[in-house]
Amino acid sequence: MNLSGVAAALHARLPELAERMASRIRSEVDAYQDEALISLESLRESCAANAELVLKHLDREDPAEAEAARETGRARAEQGVPLADTLRAYRIGSGLLWTEIVGEARTRPDVSDGLLVSESAKFWVLFGRYAEAVAVTYRETAAELTSRGLARRSALVEALFTGIIAEGTLWEAARELGLPEQGPFAVAVAEAAAPGEEPLAGVEAALRSADVPSAWRLLPDQQLALVALPSGRSEDACLRILRRSRARVGFSPRFDSLRDAPQALRFARLALSGLPGAGPGVARFDDNPLAMVVAAAPVEAAHLVEVTLRPVLDLPAAERSRLLRTLEQWFASGGSTDAAAASLFVHPNTVRYRLRRVEELTGRLLSDPRATADIGAALQAVGGPLGSDRRPRGS
């Protein structure tokens, strides 16, 4: 004895049954009430397919085929319905179907209570298998969609940074990336410690929490971020978050049009290359434009060092270090001998003596603005990547 007669009777009423299941789900699950998300016709078809699946296997011992359940999971993931709502809807539909099975069985004298109890256990085992198929396929589809979406976003960011995106589609790219069409924007570039490592892991979420939209691209040696700065406080918030990351970051000047992203990326990379030392920090291009100009023209900067500071660099290491360190502090102090002396923990006359020594060696007077500019630019080149092996330490 089995429920084949019950299954056949319900199968004959499947369209009406699917309609009732769809209506029940719509009335009880919020996500299913949006016609733009899930049409009623689509929901009816899904209910009919899943009900037919259960009725087909209710009194068979062979392994249950779960394609209809998998298709439900796939469709709901693509539609963006939350998994919890999807499983709740599946349970509601299954509950209504079992109620109909019991109701039909009660009309048949040959169906005993014992058989119903036995078939109830089988029914809910089937439900568990199908619900698991829904959940597994949903998660697989969601992961695939996420991966596809990330790849698409990364490609769009790359197109913006390389300038290969058409002018007329800039606004489409901005919309897809969740960025405004017009700036101001900025670009951040972080140095990766190992190929593929994210030096700014977690920063995108932190920026989002601070209402700072951003779009990202991971390269083998760097992580790039295109950041929108919608308010006057956005840049400060962005810089605070970047500094908390403990990464080495270069930050571009602000710009208004996405078509200027390639130039901003170059500026951010120059700022990163000019970041002193080897530890974490954020270097803004606008904080030291002279250093950025030096970094942008390494060959010319090397020549400037040769014609300006070569006599100083040829000194023995101790004297060279003292003179270069004194020059650094004098420039950092705005040309104040007393302030430079205080930072070096020496007498002001010592600073004056060292500066005169520089003038004698270079043939350039630090009272001459043009000579001072030359020496300052050359000092930037010596202190940056160009001359990092010769960077003086101590006074």
Side-chain angles (χ1 to χ4, degrees):
M1 187 181 299
N2 55 41
L3 295 181
S4 57
V6 173
L10 291 179
H11 193 275
R13 305 202 309 266
L14 197 56
E16 178 265 336
L17 181 57
E19 177 74 34
R20 290 171 56 206
M21 292 169 70
S23 297
R24 175 76 63 82
I25 290 169
R26 279 218 149 179
S27 67
E28 295 188 22
V29 185
D30 291 343
Y32 283 74
Q33 295 171 8
D34 186 349
E35 179 72 21
L37 192 63
I38 307 172
S39 70
L40 185 57
E41 179 61 29
S42 163
L43 182 55
R44 275 196 298 260
E45 290 175 359
S46 177
C47 289
N50 282 282
E52 185 175 27
L53 178 67
V54 173
L55 294 173
K56 178 181 176 182
H57 291 283
L58 187 58
D59 31 68
R60 291 169 54 181
E61 300 301 328
D62 57 325
E65 171 57 48
E67 183 53 38
R70 286 194 290 269
E71 181 55 36
T72 296
R74 187 178 303 112
R76 299 301 172 257
E78 291 173 346
Q79 292 162 337
V81 179
L83 177 57
D85 284 349
T86 300
L87 293 176
R88 184 178 173 217
Y90 204 79
R91 174 174 285 278
I92 290 170
S94 297
L96 189 150
L97 177 59
W98 176 247
T99 299
E100 291 296 314
I101 290 171
V102 171
E104 179 64 28
R106 294 297 188 196
T107 68
R108 298 171 180 269
D110 58 329
V111 179
S112 66
D113 289 344
L115 177 61
L116 272 180
V117 171
S118 172
E119 293 299 328
S120 172
K122 184 186 294 185
F123 177 90
W124 290 109
V125 167
L126 282 175
F127 165 79
R129 289 176 185 170
Y130 298 150
E132 181 180 5
V134 169
V136 168
T137 307
Y138 182 103
R139 293 189 182 101
E140 291 174 348
T141 304
E144 180 183 346
L145 291 171
T146 298
S147 177
R148 216 183 289 163
L150 290 174
R152 167 71 176 166
R153 285 175 61 84
S154 181
L156 282 175
V157 176
E158 177 71 7
L160 290 172
F161 280 144
T162 56
I164 63 173
I165 197 163
E167 179 75 24
T169 58
L170 280 175
W171 69 272
E172 294 177 354
R175 182 178 59 185
E176 190 161 346
L177 292 169
L179 299 174
E181 185 180 350
Q182 288 294 322
F185 302 100
V187 172
V189 177
E191 184 180 284
E197 180 180 292
E198 290 189 56
L200 297 177
V203 169
E204 182 177 7
L207 290 175
R208 191 184 307 115
S209 297
D211 296 322
V212 179
S214 59
W216 296 74
R217 175 85 168 100
L218 182 62
L219 303 177
D221 60 337
Q222 292 179 336
Q223 189 172 16
L224 319 180
L226 177 57
V227 183
L229 304 171
S231 75
R233 299 184 299 275
S234 296
E235 184 170 351
D236 288 341
C238 180
L239 291 170
R240 280 196 304 273
I241 292 168
L242 289 172
R243 290 188 181 104
R244 289 202 301 265
S245 72
R246 306 299 295 165
R248 291 177 61 81
V249 183
F251 198 78
S252 78
R254 296 155 68 103
F255 60 100
D256 291 322
S257 172
L258 287 173
R259 66 174 175 270
D260 295 326
Q263 181 67 32
L265 174 59
R266 180 170 178 268
F267 286 150
R269 282 175 164 155
L270 286 172
L272 177 59
S273 70
L275 186 64
V282 177
R284 294 175 70 250
F285 186 97
D286 288 345
D287 286 344
N288 196 342
L290 178 58
M292 300 304 103
V293 171
V294 168
V299 174
E300 291 79 2
H303 181 70
L304 178 63
V305 169
E306 287 297 315
V307 300
T308 306
L309 287 179
R310 175 48 57 193
V312 176
L313 298 177
D314 286 341
L315 292 171
E319 186 177 4
R320 178 182 69 225
S321 178
R322 282 195 297 272
L323 294 185
L324 290 177
R325 180 63 174 164
T326 300
L327 274 175
E328 284 182 345
Q329 292 304 314
W330 185 73
F331 275 102
S333 302
S336 168
T337 301
D338 291 342
S343 64
L344 292 168
F345 302 102
V346 298
H347 194 277
N349 285 339
T350 301
V351 172
R352 295 186 185 97
Y353 167 78
R354 292 176 182 176
L355 295 178
R356 284 196 299 271
R357 177 74 171 137
V358 170
E359 291 176 329
E360 291 169 1
L361 289 166
T362 62
R364 298 168 187 267
L365 296 176
L366 291 172
S367 58
D368 180 349
R370 288 173 299 181
T372 304
D374 290 343
I375 291 175
L379 191 64
Q380 288 284 349
V382 171
L386 172 67
S388 57
D389 59 325
R390 298 178 302 210
R391 187 175 177 85
R393 301 294 179 196
S395 61

